[in-house]
Amino acid sequence: MDFGKNLQYLRRLSKNLTQEDLAEKLNVSRQTVSKWETGEALPEMDKALELCKIFNCSLDNLFRDVMPVSDKMYSNLRLEKVKAFRYIMHTVLSSCPEDDALNRIFTYAKKFGIENPKVIGWDFPFLSQEQKNVYHMHGYTAALILPDEIKIECKELPIYQQEEHNYAAIHIEHPFDNPFSTIPGAYRTLNDFMKVNGWEHEDKNIIPCFETAGETMDVYIACK
């Protein structure tokens, strides 16, 4: 049973709720919450149901799920207001599209004379079942955020505008040590973070989610 670890995880996602804060909400002592988290005791059913209400989860989530442990791999979990920006983007569909998409965008950055370019990327979702199942393809979009002082006309690619918007975000210090686990885990943690705090996903007229390119990574999911 992973109840204690799950409780710790949910409490930290809930606006850094302390053991004392949670104990006050439940009308129990801090020591009781501590014993729940260390596995020395379990809550009575009425308290378990209160916990589900506080963290917007089910009893199965709380007692049976193996939730991610964010402390070791991730940091700076936050709600961030991302300022408006202009960008160009390039999408590649292949069995391994990320490097090709990113390389093309970095080539554009060099062409425009942009030093230390800020590049982001996200999975391209609009593939047919044949492309995915028969040809084992997936899509990836890389985008170059254009500095305000750079005025360019790009005939090859249109320039897009993203307005200021709120994003749930998280930092990964070593994303490529185990990328097939660490990066999806960051998205799962952000989804949990949003659910616990009652924030809904936004996917209209906005980049729904993206990650920064580099040796370290920040992952973002748009919130309403």
Side-chain angles (χ1 to χ4, degrees), residues 85-88 105 114 117-120 143-147 210:
F85 60 87
R86 299 175 302 140
Y87 66 98
I88 59 173
I105 285 298
I114 300 174
K118 185 175 182 180
V119 175
I120 61 176
L144 172 64
I145 296 178
L146 301 172
F210 63 86

Side-chain angles (χ1 to χ4, degrees), residues 4 10 18 22 45 57 70-71 78-79 83 86 97 99 115 146 153-154 156 159 167:
L10 291 169
T18 66
L22 182 57
M45 180 59 69
C57 66
S70 60
D71 290 352
R78 64 205 186 271
L79 182 67
K83 294 182 179 179
R86 299 175 302 140
D99 286 347
E115 298 182 1
L146 301 172
E153 291 185 5
C154 185
E156 301 166 70
I159 298 176
Y167 281 82

Side-chain angles (χ1 to χ4, degrees), residues 8 15 19-20 48 52 63 71 75 100 111 149 153 160 167-168 187 217 220-221:
Q8 285 184 352
K15 302 174 184 177
Q19 287 185 342
E20 289 86 352
C52 291
F63 285 91
D71 290 352
S75 62
D100 289 340
K111 176 182 177 180
E149 66 274 12
E153 291 185 5
Y160 297 90
Y167 281 82
Y187 281 98
M217 179 183 290
Y220 293 80
I221 297 180

Side-chain angles (χ1 to χ4, degrees), residues 40-153:
E40 296 178 56
L42 291 173
E44 298 293 334
M45 180 59 69
D46 61 332
K47 298 302 181 186
L49 291 173
E50 287 186 58
L51 287 169
C52 291
K53 185 176 181 180
I54 290 170
F55 296 120
N56 193 26
C57 66
S58 68
L59 287 172
D60 277 351
N61 295 147
L62 193 58
F63 285 91
R64 295 182 179 179
D65 284 0
V66 180
M67 295 181 178
V69 179
S70 60
D71 290 352
K72 295 180 181 179
M73 295 181 291
Y74 311 120
S75 62
N76 197 18
L77 185 61
R78 64 205 186 271
L79 182 67
E80 179 179 331
K81 186 177 290 294
V82 175
K83 294 182 179 179
F85 60 87
R86 299 175 302 140
Y87 66 98
I88 59 173
M89 64 182 183
H90 179 70
T91 300
V92 174
L93 306 181
S94 70
S95 59
C96 189
E98 289 86 356
D99 286 347
D100 289 340
L102 289 167
N103 287 339
R104 175 64 67 90
I105 285 298
F106 277 109
T107 298
Y108 279 114
K110 185 176 181 180
K111 176 182 177 180
F112 300 144
I114 300 174
E115 298 182 1
N116 302 317
K118 185 175 182 180
V119 175
I120 61 176
W122 59 89
D123 286 338
F124 180 80
F126 306 110
L127 276 74
S128 68
Q129 290 301 315
E130 183 181 26
Q131 287 173 313
K132 291 187 286 187
N133 299 333
V134 177
Y135 298 104
H136 306 291
M137 299 171 68
H138 67 280
Y140 192 80
T141 299
L144 172 64
I145 296 178
L146 301 172
D148 292 337
E149 66 274 12
I150 297 290
K151 307 299 180 184
I152 65 169
E153 291 185 5

